[in-house]
């Protein structure tokens, strides 16, 4: 074991032993080498089945890292352009002034469709055509490109419908053909889990501690199901089988391997990496009211990093506490997945802090 492997393994073992977590995976690549592949706890408390490095866990918006990576591959392979109008491929999307929207706006969450139209509920999410027809007909909350606001579930459908019209393939197919098969990580990253793989997935559980109250209905942009992760949602086989690419079922090792391939040039060249990690939009997030610094497809900065680090990392966390990021300045690809949904990212922050402290002592 490497020293940092031992440190993180001890840490997640302690979290499980004290009841803070039930199942955790952490994977880290450094300069192309897998230096951490740590697991602890159970994948299914009902049976005692242990978590392994190969146990996929439903990880909510950490899946947006996969969506954004596929979007850049679509551009790199000539299927899309960052600044071409969405309506070039999707004419119906131009309703209500959305004709000026581009892929760049989609990737920076500036299209103006942060929330699903209210007629779309979790039960409709597996119906790809219905969701996309509703998004095409929807009125944006702001003129595309003028403001940003977290596009919770809409993000994956917007990228995915452009991808489908450009290539003829669904996002689950592109993920398999362009990422998991070439990298040898099949069975570790899923949109639309196949039936035969469902028994091997982890089971999520909801932390009993009270979660923050939702805003009054009149003030909330996102519906409660869009803003708050639910174990029932993530354990629903109809949801896990469906191609819902704003969320994903993944292992930490698979997420870290994908980001490592981005950093090492296995998926895209250095010019593309520079473009996808550069600041593309900065402003106040209209959904959360917090400052937002976005690259094309990713938030910039490591969660929990001190300001003096001036973190160049990019990557999405997932509701409930999962997290994955790439740090081109340090050559790090990090991922953490977990089975217990909590209203914070304490476990991810503590693991990344251990990693950052280790890097500070060896460099």
């Amino acid at each position: 074991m490497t020293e940092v492997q031992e440190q993180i393994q001890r840490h997640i073992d302690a979290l499980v032993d004290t009841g803070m977590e039930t199942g955790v995976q952490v994977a880290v690549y450094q300069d192309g080498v897998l230096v951490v592949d740590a697991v602890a706890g159970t994948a299914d408390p009902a049976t005692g089945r242990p978590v392994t490095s190969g146990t996929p866990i439903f990880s909510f918006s950490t899946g947006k890292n996969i969506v954004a990576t596929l979007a850049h591959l679509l551009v790199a392979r000539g299927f899309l352009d960052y600044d071409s109008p969405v309506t070039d491929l999707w004419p119906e999307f131009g309703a209500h002034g959305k004709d000026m929207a581009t892929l760049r706006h989609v990737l920076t969450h500036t299209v103006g469709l942060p929330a699903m139209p209210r007629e779309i509920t979790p039960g409709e999410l597996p119906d790809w055509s219905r969701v996309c027809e509703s998004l095409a007909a929807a009125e944006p909350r702001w003129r595309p490109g003028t403001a940003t606001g977290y596009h919770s579930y809409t993000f994956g459908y917007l990228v995915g419908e452009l991808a489908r019209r450009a290539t003829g393939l669904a996002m689950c197919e592109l993920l398999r053909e362009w990422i998991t098969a070439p990298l040898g990580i099949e069975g570790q990253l899923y949109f639309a889990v196949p039936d035969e793989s469902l028994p091997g997935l982890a089971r999520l559980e909801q932390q009993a501690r009270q979660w923050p109250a939702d805003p009054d209905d009149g003030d909330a942009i996102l519906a409660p199901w869009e803003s708050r992760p639910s174990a029932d949602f993530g354990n629903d086989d109809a949801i896990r089988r469906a191609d819902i690419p704003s969320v994903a079922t993944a292992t930490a090792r698979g997420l870290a391997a994908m980001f490592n391939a981005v950093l090492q040039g296995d998926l895209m060249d250095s010019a593309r990496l520079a473009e996808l990690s550069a600041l593309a939009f900065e402003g106040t997030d209209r959904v959360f009211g917090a400052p937002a610094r976005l690259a094309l497809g990713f938030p910039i900065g490591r969660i929990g990093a001190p300001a003096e680090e001036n973190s160049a990392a990019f990557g999405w966390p997932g509701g409930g506490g999962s997290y994955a990021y790439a740090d081109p300045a340090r050559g790090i690809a990090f991922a953490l997945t977990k089975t217990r949904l909590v209203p914070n990212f304490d476990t991810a922050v503590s693991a990344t802090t251990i990693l950052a402290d280790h890097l500070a002592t060896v460099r």
Side-chain angles (χ1 to χ4, degrees), residues 121-137:
T121 67
E124 280 74 51
L125 292 179
D127 189 339
W128 186 272
S129 296
R130 182 174 182 186
V131 172
C132 291
E133 287 169 4
S134 292
L135 291 174

Side-chain angles (χ1 to χ4, degrees), residues 247-264:
V247 296
T249 303
T251 67
R253 191 167 60 185
L255 287 164
M258 179 195 74
F259 267 150
N260 177 64
V262 170
L263 295 179
Q264 296 302 309

Side-chain angles (χ1 to χ4, degrees), residues 2 4-5 8 26-38 53 183-185 188-189 251-264 266 324-336 355 358-359 363:
T2 63
V4 69
Q5 163 87 17
I8 289 180
V26 182
V28 181
Y29 283 82
Q30 180 180 7
D31 298 327
V33 178
L34 182 65
V35 295
V36 176
D37 189 9
S53 296
L183 298 183
I185 53 172
Q188 297 192 54
L189 299 179
T251 67
R253 191 167 60 185
L255 287 164
M258 179 195 74
F259 267 150
N260 177 64
V262 170
L263 295 179
Q264 296 302 309
D266 296 329
Y325 72 84
D327 187 341
R330 292 168 174 78
I332 291 293
F334 171 94
L336 180 146
L355 177 61
H358 169 78
L359 293 175
R363 288 198 171 189

Side-chain angles (χ1 to χ4, degrees), residues 20 69 74-75 119 166 208 218 263 268 311 346:
M20 295 293 292
T69 300
L74 285 160
V75 174
E119 67 268 18
L263 295 179
M268 57 190 67
S311 175
D346 291 354

Side-chain angles (χ1 to χ4, degrees), residues 39-115:
V39 297
T42 56
D44 185 350
T47 64
R49 175 165 54 94
V51 171
T52 71
S53 296
T55 304
I57 301 174
F58 193 91
S59 298
F60 290 92
S61 286
T62 306
K64 289 183 173 66
N65 294 304
I66 307 170
V67 177
T69 300
L70 284 171
H72 289 289
L73 292 177
L74 285 160
V75 174
R77 298 179 183 201
F79 289 99
L80 297 176
D81 185 86
Y82 295 122
D83 294 308
S84 292
V86 171
T87 53
D88 282 359
L89 287 170
W90 190 359
E92 307 93 316
F93 191 77
H96 300 293
K98 300 196 303 299
D99 55 299
M100 64 183 66
T102 65
L103 177 60
R104 185 178 299 275
H105 298 146
V106 173
L107 292 176
T108 52
H109 293 238
T110 61
V111 169
L113 297 178

